[in-house]
Amino acid sequence: MRKIVHRHLGKVVAGAAVAVAGTAVMVGITLPGSAGADESSGGLRGGSQAAQQAGQGQGQGQTAVEPGVVERAPAEGDKGTGRDPLTDDETKRVEQIALNRQLLTSGENVEGQRGPQRIGVDLADPEENELDDPNAPRRADVTFYDYKDDTLVTKTVNLGSGKVERTDTQHGVQPPISRDEMVEAAKLLIADPLGAGLRADYKDATGKELTSPDQLTLNSMVYRATSGAQPALLAKCGEHRCVRLFPKVLNGSWIDARQLVIDLSARKVGKLG
Protein backbone atom coordinates (compact mmCIF):
# COMPACT_ATOMS: atom_id res chain seq x y z
CA MET A 1 0.00 0.00 0.00
CA ARG A 2 2.83 2.32 0.86
CA LYS A 3 4.30 1.86 -2.60
CA ILE A 4 0.99 2.38 -4.34
CA VAL A 5 -0.41 5.31 -2.46
CA HIS A 6 2.50 7.17 -1.04
CA ARG A 7 3.81 8.37 -4.37
CA HIS A 8 2.33 11.71 -3.46
CA LEU A 9 -0.65 12.00 -1.21
CA GLY A 10 -1.17 15.30 -2.89
CA LYS A 11 -2.01 12.95 -5.71
CA VAL A 12 -3.94 10.63 -3.53
CA VAL A 13 -6.97 12.16 -5.10
CA ALA A 14 -5.38 11.13 -8.33
CA GLY A 15 -5.07 7.95 -6.35
CA ALA A 16 -8.64 8.73 -5.53
CA ALA A 17 -9.29 8.58 -9.20
CA VAL A 18 -8.23 4.98 -8.84
CA ALA A 19 -10.33 4.56 -5.73
CA VAL A 20 -13.14 6.44 -7.36
CA ALA A 21 -13.16 4.94 -10.82
CA GLY A 22 -12.76 1.40 -9.56
CA THR A 23 -14.98 1.48 -6.52
CA ALA A 24 -17.28 4.47 -6.37
CA VAL A 25 -20.08 2.72 -8.20
CA MET A 26 -19.81 -0.36 -6.00
CA VAL A 27 -19.81 1.46 -2.71
CA GLY A 28 -21.88 4.47 -3.60
CA ILE A 29 -19.16 7.02 -2.86
CA THR A 30 -19.86 10.61 -3.81
CA LEU A 31 -16.57 12.42 -4.09
CA PRO A 32 -15.93 16.04 -3.34
CA GLY A 33 -15.81 18.38 -6.28
CA SER A 34 -17.81 21.06 -7.91
CA ALA A 35 -21.11 19.24 -7.55
CA GLY A 36 -23.62 21.72 -6.26
CA ALA A 37 -21.31 24.70 -6.81
CA ASP A 38 -23.01 25.84 -9.99
CA GLU A 39 -26.43 25.36 -8.51
CA SER A 40 -25.44 27.28 -5.42
CA SER A 41 -23.95 30.19 -7.30
CA GLY A 42 -26.81 30.02 -9.76
CA GLY A 43 -29.20 30.29 -6.84
CA LEU A 44 -27.40 33.40 -5.63
CA ARG A 45 -27.51 34.97 -9.08
CA GLY A 46 -31.18 34.07 -9.35
CA GLY A 47 -31.85 35.73 -5.99
CA SER A 48 -30.01 38.87 -7.13
CA GLN A 49 -32.02 39.06 -10.34
CA ALA A 50 -35.24 38.55 -8.42
CA ALA A 51 -34.32 41.38 -6.08
CA GLN A 52 -33.54 43.67 -9.03
CA GLN A 53 -36.82 42.80 -10.69
CA ALA A 54 -38.71 43.42 -7.45
CA GLY A 55 -37.00 46.80 -7.11
CA GLN A 56 -37.86 47.69 -10.70
CA GLY A 57 -41.41 46.60 -10.11
CA GLN A 58 -41.73 48.88 -7.10
CA GLY A 59 -40.24 51.73 -9.12
CA GLN A 60 -42.96 51.18 -11.72
CA GLY A 61 -45.72 51.32 -9.17
CA GLN A 62 -46.28 47.60 -8.84
CA THR A 63 -47.14 46.06 -5.50
CA ALA A 64 -44.12 44.62 -3.71
CA VAL A 65 -44.21 40.86 -3.18
CA GLU A 66 -44.22 39.86 0.47
CA PRO A 67 -41.35 37.60 1.51
CA GLY A 68 -42.25 33.91 1.70
CA VAL A 69 -42.81 32.24 5.05
CA VAL A 70 -41.36 28.79 5.68
CA GLU A 71 -43.60 26.81 7.96
CA ARG A 72 -42.11 24.48 10.51
CA ALA A 73 -42.48 20.79 9.64
CA PRO A 74 -45.20 19.10 11.69
CA ALA A 75 -43.99 17.19 14.75
CA GLU A 76 -43.42 13.50 14.15
CA GLY A 77 -46.05 11.37 15.82
CA ASP A 78 -45.43 8.36 18.05
CA LYS A 79 -46.89 6.03 15.43
CA GLY A 80 -47.00 5.95 11.65
CA THR A 81 -49.82 4.57 9.54
CA GLY A 82 -49.91 2.32 6.51
CA ARG A 83 -46.61 2.41 4.62
CA ASP A 84 -45.33 5.53 6.40
CA PRO A 85 -41.64 5.28 7.36
CA LEU A 86 -41.00 4.12 10.90
CA THR A 87 -40.99 6.93 13.44
CA ASP A 88 -38.13 7.29 15.90
CA ASP A 89 -40.38 6.02 18.69
CA GLU A 90 -41.38 2.96 16.66
CA THR A 91 -37.75 2.21 15.82
CA LYS A 92 -36.68 2.33 19.47
CA ARG A 93 -39.66 0.28 20.57
CA VAL A 94 -39.26 -2.59 18.10
CA GLU A 95 -35.53 -2.79 18.79
CA GLN A 96 -36.23 -3.21 22.50
CA ILE A 97 -38.86 -5.86 21.76
CA ALA A 98 -36.57 -7.79 19.39
CA LEU A 99 -33.57 -7.76 21.71
CA ASN A 100 -34.82 -10.34 24.18
CA ARG A 101 -32.89 -11.53 27.20
CA GLN A 102 -31.55 -14.67 25.51
CA LEU A 103 -30.15 -12.76 22.53
CA LEU A 104 -28.78 -10.05 24.78
CA THR A 105 -26.93 -12.44 27.08
CA SER A 106 -25.70 -14.93 24.48
CA GLY A 107 -24.85 -12.58 21.59
CA GLU A 108 -21.66 -10.63 20.93
CA ASN A 109 -21.16 -7.34 19.10
CA VAL A 110 -18.32 -6.13 16.87
CA GLU A 111 -16.30 -4.96 19.88
CA GLY A 112 -16.60 -8.34 21.59
CA GLN A 113 -19.04 -7.03 24.17
CA ARG A 114 -22.27 -8.64 25.32
CA GLY A 115 -25.25 -8.41 23.00
CA PRO A 116 -25.43 -8.74 19.19
CA GLN A 117 -24.45 -5.95 16.79
CA ARG A 118 -27.40 -3.86 15.63
CA ILE A 119 -27.42 -3.65 11.82
CA GLY A 120 -30.70 -1.92 11.03
CA VAL A 121 -34.44 -1.50 11.51
CA ASP A 122 -36.70 -1.33 8.44
CA LEU A 123 -40.40 -1.29 7.71
CA ALA A 124 -41.34 -4.84 6.70
CA ASP A 125 -43.23 -5.66 3.52
CA PRO A 126 -46.88 -6.68 3.98
CA GLU A 127 -47.88 -10.31 3.66
CA GLU A 128 -49.14 -11.49 0.27
CA ASN A 129 -52.75 -11.61 1.41
CA GLU A 130 -52.45 -8.07 2.84
CA LEU A 131 -51.27 -6.25 -0.30
CA ASP A 132 -54.69 -4.65 -0.95
CA ASP A 133 -55.63 -4.23 2.69
CA PRO A 134 -55.36 -0.57 3.79
CA ASN A 135 -55.58 -1.72 7.41
CA ALA A 136 -52.81 -4.31 7.21
CA PRO A 137 -50.65 -4.45 10.34
CA ARG A 138 -47.43 -2.46 10.35
CA ARG A 139 -44.38 -4.60 10.97
CA ALA A 140 -40.66 -3.92 11.30
CA ASP A 141 -37.66 -6.12 10.49
CA VAL A 142 -34.95 -5.72 13.13
CA THR A 143 -31.57 -7.09 12.05
CA PHE A 144 -28.64 -8.03 14.28
CA TYR A 145 -25.28 -9.66 13.57
CA ASP A 146 -24.07 -12.02 16.28
CA TYR A 147 -20.27 -12.10 16.18
CA LYS A 148 -20.19 -14.98 18.61
CA ASP A 149 -21.14 -17.46 15.88
CA ASP A 150 -21.32 -15.25 12.76
CA THR A 151 -25.09 -15.35 12.54
CA LEU A 152 -27.45 -12.84 10.97
CA VAL A 153 -30.62 -12.67 13.05
CA THR A 154 -33.74 -10.93 11.72
CA LYS A 155 -36.78 -10.52 13.92
CA THR A 156 -40.11 -9.33 12.51
CA VAL A 157 -42.09 -7.33 15.06
CA ASN A 158 -45.78 -6.49 14.77
CA LEU A 159 -46.04 -2.83 15.76
CA GLY A 160 -49.67 -3.16 16.74
CA SER A 161 -49.41 -6.16 19.05
CA GLY A 162 -45.79 -5.56 20.10
CA LYS A 163 -44.98 -9.22 19.50
CA VAL A 164 -42.21 -10.91 17.55
CA GLU A 165 -43.96 -12.81 14.75
CA ARG A 166 -40.90 -14.38 13.09
CA THR A 167 -37.24 -15.00 13.79
CA ASP A 168 -34.93 -15.76 10.86
CA THR A 169 -31.38 -16.98 11.49
CA GLN A 170 -28.87 -17.19 8.62
CA HIS A 171 -25.18 -18.01 8.19
CA GLY A 172 -23.02 -16.69 5.36
CA VAL A 173 -25.34 -13.73 4.73
CA GLN A 174 -23.54 -10.39 4.87
CA PRO A 175 -25.63 -7.19 4.85
CA PRO A 176 -23.96 -3.79 4.29
CA ILE A 177 -21.50 -2.74 7.00
CA SER A 178 -22.99 -0.52 9.70
CA ARG A 179 -21.38 2.69 10.93
CA ASP A 180 -20.23 1.10 14.21
CA GLU A 181 -18.61 -1.75 12.29
CA MET A 182 -16.79 0.68 9.98
CA VAL A 183 -15.39 2.52 12.99
CA GLU A 184 -14.21 -0.71 14.61
CA ALA A 185 -12.61 -1.85 11.32
CA ALA A 186 -10.74 1.48 11.11
CA LYS A 187 -9.51 1.07 14.70
CA LEU A 188 -8.14 -2.37 13.90
CA LEU A 189 -6.48 -1.15 10.70
CA ILE A 190 -4.88 1.90 12.32
CA ALA A 191 -3.41 -0.24 15.10
CA ASP A 192 -2.18 -3.05 12.81
CA PRO A 193 1.32 -3.18 11.24
CA LEU A 194 -0.38 -3.35 7.82
CA GLY A 195 -1.85 0.06 8.57
CA ALA A 196 1.60 1.67 8.45
CA GLY A 197 1.05 3.00 4.93
CA LEU A 198 -2.31 4.48 5.88
CA ARG A 199 -0.76 6.20 8.89
CA ALA A 200 2.16 7.53 6.84
CA ASP A 201 -0.07 8.86 4.07
CA TYR A 202 -2.28 10.58 6.61
CA LYS A 203 0.75 12.25 8.18
CA ASP A 204 1.99 13.39 4.76
CA ALA A 205 -1.39 14.98 4.09
CA THR A 206 -1.93 16.64 7.45
CA GLY A 207 1.37 16.72 9.33
CA LYS A 208 -0.39 14.89 12.17
CA GLU A 209 -0.42 11.34 13.49
CA LEU A 210 -3.41 9.17 12.66
CA THR A 211 -4.65 7.69 15.92
CA SER A 212 -8.44 7.57 15.64
CA PRO A 213 -11.19 6.80 13.10
CA ASP A 214 -12.63 10.22 13.98
CA GLN A 215 -9.87 11.74 11.83
CA LEU A 216 -11.23 9.99 8.73
CA THR A 217 -14.33 9.91 6.60
CA LEU A 218 -15.14 6.25 6.01
CA ASN A 219 -16.90 4.28 3.29
CA SER A 220 -16.88 0.51 3.07
CA MET A 221 -17.99 -2.65 1.35
CA VAL A 222 -18.32 -6.26 2.44
CA TYR A 223 -15.51 -8.53 1.25
CA ARG A 224 -16.12 -12.19 0.35
CA ALA A 225 -13.35 -14.69 -0.23
CA THR A 226 -12.80 -15.99 -3.75
CA SER A 227 -10.94 -19.22 -4.39
CA GLY A 228 -7.21 -18.52 -4.59
CA ALA A 229 -7.63 -14.74 -4.61
CA GLN A 230 -6.51 -13.96 -1.07
CA PRO A 231 -4.14 -15.17 1.66
CA ALA A 232 -5.24 -17.98 3.95
CA LEU A 233 -5.86 -15.41 6.67
CA LEU A 234 -8.85 -14.10 4.69
CA ALA A 235 -10.12 -17.42 3.34
CA LYS A 236 -13.16 -17.41 5.65
CA CYS A 237 -14.41 -14.00 4.57
CA GLY A 238 -18.08 -14.40 3.71
CA GLU A 239 -18.52 -16.86 6.52
CA HIS A 240 -16.74 -14.26 8.67
CA ARG A 241 -17.70 -10.60 8.60
CA CYS A 242 -15.00 -8.91 6.49
CA VAL A 243 -14.73 -5.36 5.21
CA ARG A 244 -12.68 -3.23 2.82
CA LEU A 245 -12.40 0.41 3.82
CA PHE A 246 -12.24 3.47 1.57
CA PRO A 247 -10.84 6.11 3.95
CA LYS A 248 -10.58 9.81 3.31
CA VAL A 249 -8.71 12.45 5.27
CA LEU A 250 -11.36 14.48 7.07
CA ASN A 251 -12.10 17.36 4.69
CA GLY A 252 -9.17 16.24 2.56
CA SER A 253 -7.81 13.60 0.18
CA TRP A 254 -8.71 9.98 -0.36
CA ILE A 255 -6.27 7.26 0.67
CA ASP A 256 -6.15 4.03 -1.31
CA ALA A 257 -6.55 1.12 1.13
CA ARG A 258 -8.24 -1.28 -1.27
CA GLN A 259 -5.64 -4.03 -0.82
CA LEU A 260 -6.36 -4.29 2.89
CA VAL A 261 -9.21 -6.39 4.31
CA ILE A 262 -10.29 -6.37 7.94
CA ASP A 263 -11.79 -9.60 9.26
CA LEU A 264 -14.03 -8.27 12.02
CA SER A 265 -14.93 -11.77 13.23
CA ALA A 266 -11.29 -12.76 13.74
CA ARG A 267 -10.20 -9.17 14.47
CA LYS A 268 -7.30 -9.47 12.02
CA VAL A 269 -6.07 -7.51 8.99
CA GLY A 270 -4.95 -9.16 5.76
CA LYS A 271 -3.52 -7.89 2.49
CA LEU A 272 -4.66 -8.95 -0.96
CA GLY A 273 -1.98 -9.89 -3.45
Side-chain angles (χ1 to χ4, degrees):
M1 170 180 169
R2 177 67 173 166
K3 293 179 181 177
I4 292 177
V5 179
H6 187 254
R7 290 176 182 170
H8 293 300
L9 190 60
K11 293 188 179 178
V12 168
V13 171
V18 179
V20 174
T23 61
V25 174
M26 291 187 290
V27 298
I29 299 174
T30 301
L31 297 181
S34 59
D38 291 342
E39 292 84 352
S40 176
S41 61
L44 290 173
R45 289 196 296 272
S48 176
Q49 291 172 358
Q52 290 174 1
Q53 291 171 0
Q56 291 170 0
Q58 290 178 16
Q60 296 171 3
Q62 295 179 3
T63 304
V65 178
E66 293 293 330
V69 177
V70 179
E71 294 185 4
R72 180 177 298 176
E76 184 183 74
D78 293 339
K79 297 180 180 179
T81 59
R83 301 299 297 163
D84 288 346
L86 295 170
T87 66
D88 290 343
D89 286 342
E90 286 177 322
T91 299
K92 292 176 184 176
R93 179 167 165 257
V94 297
E95 187 174 349
Q96 290 171 351
I97 293 170
L99 192 59
N100 59 25
R101 183 176 296 276
Q102 180 182 356
L103 190 58
L104 180 62
T105 55
S106 65
E108 185 177 297
N109 69 12
V110 68
E111 297 177 348
Q113 297 176 351
R114 191 182 73 165
Q117 181 64 45
R118 177 187 182 277
I119 300 298
V121 181
D122 300 291
L123 187 68
D125 292 329
E127 304 290 339
E128 258 187 61
N129 60 353
E130 299 171 346
L131 291 175
D132 298 323
D133 183 359
N135 298 313
R138 278 166 63 81
R139 300 180 181 88
D141 287 332
V142 188
T143 308
F144 302 96
Y145 194 88
D146 188 352
Y147 276 88
K148 189 168 186 177
D149 57 2
D150 284 295
T151 302
L152 183 69
V153 180
T154 303
K155 290 180 176 283
T156 302
V157 179
N158 186 310
L159 287 120
S161 67
K163 294 182 178 179
V164 175
E165 293 186 343
R166 287 189 302 275
T167 298
D168 186 27
T169 302
Q170 298 172 287
H171 293 275
V173 177
Q174 298 295 340
I177 303 293
S178 69
R179 172 65 187 171
D180 287 343
E181 289 173 307
M182 271 195 284
V183 169
E184 187 63 19
K187 286 180 182 177
L188 292 172
L189 179 55
I190 291 169
D192 193 271
L194 286 175
L198 172 67
R199 297 190 300 270
D201 290 335
Y202 183 88
K203 188 169 185 178
D204 283 350
T206 66
K208 300 177 181 178
E209 300 291 339
L210 175 61
T211 58
S212 168
D214 293 339
Q215 296 167 267
L216 300 168
T217 298
L218 298 170
N219 284 280
S220 68
M221 65 181 294
V222 170
Y223 176 79
R224 292 178 177 275
T226 304
S227 180
Q230 63 282 306
L233 178 69
L234 301 174
K236 286 192 174 182
C237 288
E239 176 187 343
H240 284 186
R241 188 93 162 127
C242 297
V243 56
R244 295 170 75 184
L245 289 178
F246 303 90
K248 180 178 178 291
V249 176
L250 199 62
N251 299 319
S253 306
W254 293 84
I255 300 176
D256 189 355
R258 290 174 299 165
Q259 286 185 300
L260 302 177
V261 176
I262 302 95
D263 183 336
L264 289 169
S265 301
R267 300 186 67 80
K268 294 180 179 179
V269 179
K271 186 175 181 179
L272 300 176

